[in-house]
Amino acid sequence: MSTTATHSTATEAGASASAGASRRQGTFYRGDPGMWSWVLHRITGVLTFFFLFVHVLDTALVRVSPDSYNEVIETYKTPLVNLLEVGLVGAVLFHALNGIRVMLVDFWEKGPKFQKPMLWTILAIWVVVMIPGAYFMMKRTVEVMFGGH
């Protein structure tokens, strides 16, 4: 084996060992906001997919058994489902806003430079939209549960 090949193999082994050491110490990510937006984007996408899947199934039920369909729709009027709907709206809204941010990072030449400020901007928009949205979505449920007008 040549000296160059031996040095190259030793360098690769050293790089591999240091990569293995960083894996043993924990995750590659250390809590960067961009990483958390990536994780939330994936989670909200999967949650939205499953909601749409269930929605298609329950809507298809109307052709099979209209009475069963009506029973399922009645369960959707419970406070727990109302809370889940607020969560769904929050997930879809975050996924949509973050998707716009991701497109800007990918296709706008200055996108990578502004990705963190754009993340904080979409989070601010999310909060501004979700607070009144959650209020109006939960208003009827709270009135029914605790009395009201």
Side-chain angles (χ1 to χ4, degrees), residues 13-111:
S16 177
S18 68
S22 69
R23 277 191 217 112
R24 281 189 297 265
Q25 292 172 358
T27 179
F28 285 116
Y29 301 110
R30 299 285 179 214
D32 181 65
M35 186 272 301
W36 288 113
S37 76
W38 180 86
V39 169
L40 280 173
H41 195 75
R42 296 318 184 265
I43 291 170
T44 57
V46 169
L47 290 174
T48 302
F49 169 79
F50 281 118
F51 163 75
L52 291 172
F53 182 72
V54 169
H55 181 61
V56 167
L57 288 178
D58 71 17
T59 303
L61 192 59
V62 78
R63 293 178 135 280
V64 177
S65 172
D67 291 333
S68 296
Y69 171 79
N70 288 335
E71 287 177 31
V72 169
I73 296 302
E74 279 302 311
T75 64
Y76 291 167
K77 296 177 182 175
T78 64
L80 176 63
V81 173
N82 186 230
L83 189 59
L84 292 172
E85 287 173 336
V86 172
L88 174 66
V89 169
V92 170
L93 180 63
F94 175 81
H95 192 78
L97 292 171
N98 195 53
I100 293 168
R101 183 188 72 87
V102 168
M103 287 188 293
L104 288 171
V105 168
D106 287 347
F107 298 116
W108 179 35
E109 65 185 35
K110 295 182 182 181

Side-chain angles (χ1 to χ4, degrees), residues 93 97 118-132:
L93 180 63
L97 292 171
M118 286 190 293
L119 175 60
W120 296 117
T121 301
I122 69 149
L123 290 175
I125 293 169
W126 185 86
V127 168
V128 166
V129 173
M130 278 306 297
I131 289 174

